[in-house]
Amino acid sequence: QVQLVESGGGLVQAGGSLRLSCAASDRILSINSMGWYRQPPGKQRELVATITRSGVTHYVDAVKGRFTISRDSRENTVHLQMNSLKPEDTAVYFCNARDVYNGREFDYWGRGTQVTVSS
């Protein structure tokens, strides 16, 4: 029953920056992992970055060195700092929470926030 709400999306020129935020209804340190996915126009949803309960991060090659995932446990919020944005970063960005119960994974999703990068 984790509720996730994304914010921070918008329109930005290539080379610019945006900071996305995901507010969770539950304590994020009680969740196995948090992450960001994105869905470009006409394409399937794809993984962007994850952060585990222990703080280990993972990035796909397309954003490595440009994006940073972080968390604020006091605010129950996960952030995605996006620098050096490219037009191909244009997508709807979704916050994800993945938890594990009895060895099974459960995923929770926000409604998404639009990021548009112009050239």
Side-chain angles (χ1 to χ4, degrees), residues 87-115:
E88 49 263 46
D89 295 319
T90 295
V92 178
Y93 284 71
F94 297 91
C95 183
N96 166 259
R98 175 168 292 181
D99 215 341
V100 179
Y101 301 99
N102 298 320
R104 293 178 293 175
E105 295 180 343
F106 296 83
D107 283 300
Y108 304 89
W109 299 92
R111 60 189 293 269
T113 184
Q114 176 71 47
V115 172

Short mmCIF file of all heavy atoms in Angstrom, two decimals, residues 87-115:
data_model
loop_
_atom_site.label_atom_id
_atom_site.label_comp_id
_atom_site.label_asym_id
_atom_site.label_seq_id
_atom_site.Cartn_x
_atom_site.Cartn_y
_atom_site.Cartn_z
N PRO A 87 18.03 15.51 -25.60
CA PRO A 87 16.67 15.29 -26.12
C PRO A 87 16.20 13.85 -25.94
O PRO A 87 15.00 13.63 -25.72
CB PRO A 87 16.79 15.66 -27.60
CG PRO A 87 17.88 16.68 -27.62
CD PRO A 87 18.87 16.22 -26.59
N GLU A 88 17.10 12.88 -26.02
CA GLU A 88 16.71 11.48 -25.85
C GLU A 88 16.32 11.13 -24.42
O GLU A 88 15.84 10.03 -24.16
CB GLU A 88 17.82 10.54 -26.33
CG GLU A 88 19.19 10.86 -25.78
CD GLU A 88 20.04 11.69 -26.74
OE1 GLU A 88 19.50 12.66 -27.31
OE2 GLU A 88 21.22 11.35 -26.93
N ASP A 89 16.53 12.05 -23.47
CA ASP A 89 16.06 11.86 -22.11
C ASP A 89 14.57 12.18 -21.96
O ASP A 89 14.00 11.93 -20.90
CB ASP A 89 16.85 12.72 -21.13
CG ASP A 89 18.31 12.33 -21.04
OD1 ASP A 89 18.60 11.11 -21.02
OD2 ASP A 89 19.16 13.23 -20.97
N THR A 90 13.97 12.74 -23.00
CA THR A 90 12.55 13.07 -22.96
C THR A 90 11.72 11.82 -22.71
O THR A 90 11.83 10.83 -23.44
CB THR A 90 12.12 13.74 -24.27
OG1 THR A 90 12.78 14.99 -24.40
CG2 THR A 90 10.61 13.96 -24.29
N ALA A 91 10.90 11.85 -21.66
CA ALA A 91 10.11 10.69 -21.28
C ALA A 91 9.22 11.05 -20.11
O ALA A 91 9.38 12.10 -19.48
CB ALA A 91 11.01 9.52 -20.90
N VAL A 92 8.28 10.17 -19.82
CA VAL A 92 7.56 10.21 -18.56
C VAL A 92 8.38 9.42 -17.55
O VAL A 92 8.69 8.25 -17.78
CB VAL A 92 6.14 9.64 -18.67
CG1 VAL A 92 5.45 9.66 -17.31
CG2 VAL A 92 5.33 10.43 -19.69
N TYR A 93 8.73 10.04 -16.44
CA TYR A 93 9.54 9.41 -15.42
C TYR A 93 8.66 8.92 -14.28
O TYR A 93 7.83 9.67 -13.75
CB TYR A 93 10.61 10.38 -14.91
CG TYR A 93 11.75 10.55 -15.86
CD1 TYR A 93 11.59 11.24 -17.06
CD2 TYR A 93 13.01 10.01 -15.58
CE1 TYR A 93 12.63 11.38 -17.95
CE2 TYR A 93 14.06 10.16 -16.47
CZ TYR A 93 13.86 10.85 -17.65
OH TYR A 93 14.91 10.99 -18.54
N PHE A 94 8.86 7.66 -13.89
CA PHE A 94 8.05 7.01 -12.86
C PHE A 94 8.91 6.63 -11.67
O PHE A 94 10.00 6.09 -11.83
CB PHE A 94 7.39 5.74 -13.40
CG PHE A 94 6.42 5.98 -14.51
CD1 PHE A 94 6.83 5.95 -15.83
CD2 PHE A 94 5.08 6.22 -14.24
CE1 PHE A 94 5.94 6.16 -16.87
CE2 PHE A 94 4.18 6.42 -15.26
CZ PHE A 94 4.61 6.40 -16.58
N CYS A 95 8.40 6.90 -10.49
CA CYS A 95 9.03 6.43 -9.26
C CYS A 95 8.56 5.01 -8.96
O CYS A 95 7.39 4.67 -9.17
CB CYS A 95 8.66 7.37 -8.11
SG CYS A 95 9.45 6.95 -6.54
N ASN A 96 9.48 4.19 -8.47
CA ASN A 96 9.19 2.79 -8.17
C ASN A 96 9.67 2.43 -6.77
O ASN A 96 10.74 2.86 -6.35
CB ASN A 96 9.87 1.88 -9.20
CG ASN A 96 9.90 0.42 -8.77
OD1 ASN A 96 10.92 -0.08 -8.30
ND2 ASN A 96 8.77 -0.26 -8.95
N ALA A 97 8.86 1.67 -6.07
CA ALA A 97 9.25 1.08 -4.79
C ALA A 97 9.10 -0.42 -4.90
O ALA A 97 8.06 -0.92 -5.33
CB ALA A 97 8.38 1.62 -3.66
N ARG A 98 10.15 -1.14 -4.55
CA ARG A 98 10.13 -2.60 -4.59
C ARG A 98 10.41 -3.15 -3.20
O ARG A 98 11.43 -2.83 -2.59
CB ARG A 98 11.15 -3.13 -5.60
CG ARG A 98 11.28 -4.66 -5.61
CD ARG A 98 12.08 -5.13 -6.81
NE ARG A 98 11.35 -4.91 -8.05
CZ ARG A 98 11.80 -5.26 -9.26
NH1 ARG A 98 12.99 -5.83 -9.37
NH2 ARG A 98 11.07 -5.01 -10.34
N ASP A 99 9.50 -3.98 -2.74
CA ASP A 99 9.67 -4.59 -1.43
C ASP A 99 9.59 -6.11 -1.57
O ASP A 99 9.15 -6.63 -2.60
CB ASP A 99 8.62 -4.10 -0.45
CG ASP A 99 9.16 -3.98 0.97
OD1 ASP A 99 10.20 -4.60 1.26
OD2 ASP A 99 8.55 -3.28 1.79
N VAL A 100 10.04 -6.80 -0.54
CA VAL A 100 10.09 -8.26 -0.56
C VAL A 100 9.36 -8.79 0.67
O VAL A 100 9.66 -8.39 1.79
CB VAL A 100 11.54 -8.78 -0.58
CG1 VAL A 100 11.55 -10.30 -0.56
CG2 VAL A 100 12.28 -8.25 -1.79
N TYR A 101 8.42 -9.69 0.43
CA TYR A 101 7.68 -10.35 1.50
C TYR A 101 7.68 -11.85 1.22
O TYR A 101 7.26 -12.29 0.14
CB TYR A 101 6.24 -9.85 1.60
CG TYR A 101 6.12 -8.37 1.86
CD1 TYR A 101 5.88 -7.50 0.81
CD2 TYR A 101 6.25 -7.86 3.14
CE1 TYR A 101 5.76 -6.15 1.03
CE2 TYR A 101 6.13 -6.51 3.37
CZ TYR A 101 5.89 -5.65 2.32
OH TYR A 101 5.77 -4.31 2.55
N ASN A 102 8.16 -12.63 2.17
CA ASN A 102 8.19 -14.08 2.04
C ASN A 102 8.88 -14.52 0.75
O ASN A 102 8.44 -15.47 0.09
CB ASN A 102 6.77 -14.66 2.11
CG ASN A 102 6.10 -14.39 3.44
OD1 ASN A 102 6.73 -14.48 4.49
ND2 ASN A 102 4.82 -14.06 3.39
N GLY A 103 9.94 -13.81 0.39
CA GLY A 103 10.71 -14.17 -0.79
C GLY A 103 10.12 -13.71 -2.11
O GLY A 103 10.68 -14.02 -3.16
N ARG A 104 9.02 -12.98 -2.10
CA ARG A 104 8.38 -12.49 -3.31
C ARG A 104 8.48 -10.97 -3.40
O ARG A 104 8.40 -10.28 -2.39
CB ARG A 104 6.91 -12.92 -3.37
CG ARG A 104 6.73 -14.42 -3.53
CD ARG A 104 5.27 -14.78 -3.53
NE ARG A 104 4.66 -14.55 -2.24
CZ ARG A 104 3.37 -14.69 -1.97
NH1 ARG A 104 2.54 -15.09 -2.93
NH2 ARG A 104 2.91 -14.46 -0.75
N GLU A 105 8.67 -10.46 -4.62
CA GLU A 105 8.81 -9.03 -4.86
C GLU A 105 7.47 -8.38 -5.16
O GLU A 105 6.65 -8.93 -5.89
CB GLU A 105 9.77 -8.77 -6.01
CG GLU A 105 11.20 -9.22 -5.71
CD GLU A 105 12.14 -8.96 -6.87
OE1 GLU A 105 11.65 -8.74 -7.99
OE2 GLU A 105 13.36 -8.98 -6.65
N PHE A 106 7.27 -7.19 -4.61
CA PHE A 106 6.08 -6.39 -4.86
C PHE A 106 6.50 -5.00 -5.31
O PHE A 106 7.35 -4.36 -4.67
CB PHE A 106 5.22 -6.30 -3.60
CG PHE A 106 4.66 -7.61 -3.15
CD1 PHE A 106 5.42 -8.47 -2.38
CD2 PHE A 106 3.37 -7.99 -3.49
CE1 PHE A 106 4.92 -9.69 -1.96
CE2 PHE A 106 2.86 -9.20 -3.07
CZ PHE A 106 3.63 -10.06 -2.31
N ASP A 107 5.92 -4.52 -6.39
CA ASP A 107 6.25 -3.22 -6.96
C ASP A 107 5.11 -2.24 -6.80
O ASP A 107 3.94 -2.58 -6.99
CB ASP A 107 6.59 -3.35 -8.45
CG ASP A 107 7.97 -3.90 -8.67
OD1 ASP A 107 8.94 -3.27 -8.20
OD2 ASP A 107 8.09 -4.95 -9.33
N TYR A 108 5.47 -0.99 -6.47
CA TYR A 108 4.52 0.10 -6.36
C TYR A 108 5.00 1.23 -7.26
O TYR A 108 6.21 1.47 -7.39
CB TYR A 108 4.41 0.59 -4.92
CG TYR A 108 4.03 -0.50 -3.95
CD1 TYR A 108 5.01 -1.27 -3.32
CD2 TYR A 108 2.70 -0.79 -3.66
CE1 TYR A 108 4.68 -2.28 -2.45
CE2 TYR A 108 2.36 -1.80 -2.78
CZ TYR A 108 3.35 -2.54 -2.18
OH TYR A 108 3.02 -3.55 -1.30
N TRP A 109 4.06 1.95 -7.88
CA TRP A 109 4.40 2.96 -8.88
C TRP A 109 3.69 4.27 -8.63
O TRP A 109 2.53 4.30 -8.18
CB TRP A 109 4.01 2.47 -10.28
CG TRP A 109 4.72 1.22 -10.70
CD1 TRP A 109 4.31 -0.06 -10.54
CD2 TRP A 109 5.99 1.16 -11.35
NE1 TRP A 109 5.23 -0.93 -11.04
CE2 TRP A 109 6.28 -0.22 -11.55
CE3 TRP A 109 6.91 2.11 -11.78
CZ2 TRP A 109 7.45 -0.65 -12.17
CZ3 TRP A 109 8.08 1.69 -12.40
CH2 TRP A 109 8.33 0.32 -12.59
N GLY A 110 4.38 5.36 -8.94
CA GLY A 110 3.74 6.66 -8.98
C GLY A 110 3.05 6.85 -10.32
O GLY A 110 3.12 6.00 -11.21
N ARG A 111 2.37 7.97 -10.49
CA ARG A 111 1.63 8.23 -11.71
C ARG A 111 2.50 8.81 -12.81
O ARG A 111 2.07 8.86 -13.97
CB ARG A 111 0.47 9.18 -11.44
CG ARG A 111 0.89 10.53 -10.89
CD ARG A 111 -0.32 11.32 -10.44
NE ARG A 111 -1.16 11.70 -11.56
CZ ARG A 111 -1.05 12.83 -12.23
NH1 ARG A 111 -0.12 13.71 -11.91
NH2 ARG A 111 -1.87 13.09 -13.23
N GLY A 112 3.70 9.26 -12.50
CA GLY A 112 4.64 9.75 -13.48
C GLY A 112 4.69 11.25 -13.58
O GLY A 112 3.73 11.95 -13.25
N THR A 113 5.82 11.77 -14.06
CA THR A 113 5.99 13.19 -14.31
C THR A 113 6.73 13.38 -15.63
O THR A 113 7.69 12.67 -15.93
CB THR A 113 6.75 13.88 -13.15
OG1 THR A 113 6.81 15.29 -13.38
CG2 THR A 113 8.17 13.34 -13.00
N GLN A 114 6.26 14.30 -16.45
CA GLN A 114 6.79 14.50 -17.79
C GLN A 114 8.06 15.31 -17.77
O GLN A 114 8.13 16.39 -17.15
CB GLN A 114 5.75 15.19 -18.68
CG GLN A 114 6.24 15.51 -20.09
CD GLN A 114 6.41 14.27 -20.94
OE1 GLN A 114 5.54 13.42 -20.98
NE2 GLN A 114 7.56 14.17 -21.61
N VAL A 115 9.09 14.82 -18.47
CA VAL A 115 10.33 15.55 -18.68
C VAL A 115 10.52 15.71 -20.19
O VAL A 115 10.54 14.73 -20.93
CB VAL A 115 11.55 14.81 -18.09
CG1 VAL A 115 12.85 15.49 -18.51
CG2 VAL A 115 11.44 14.77 -16.57
#
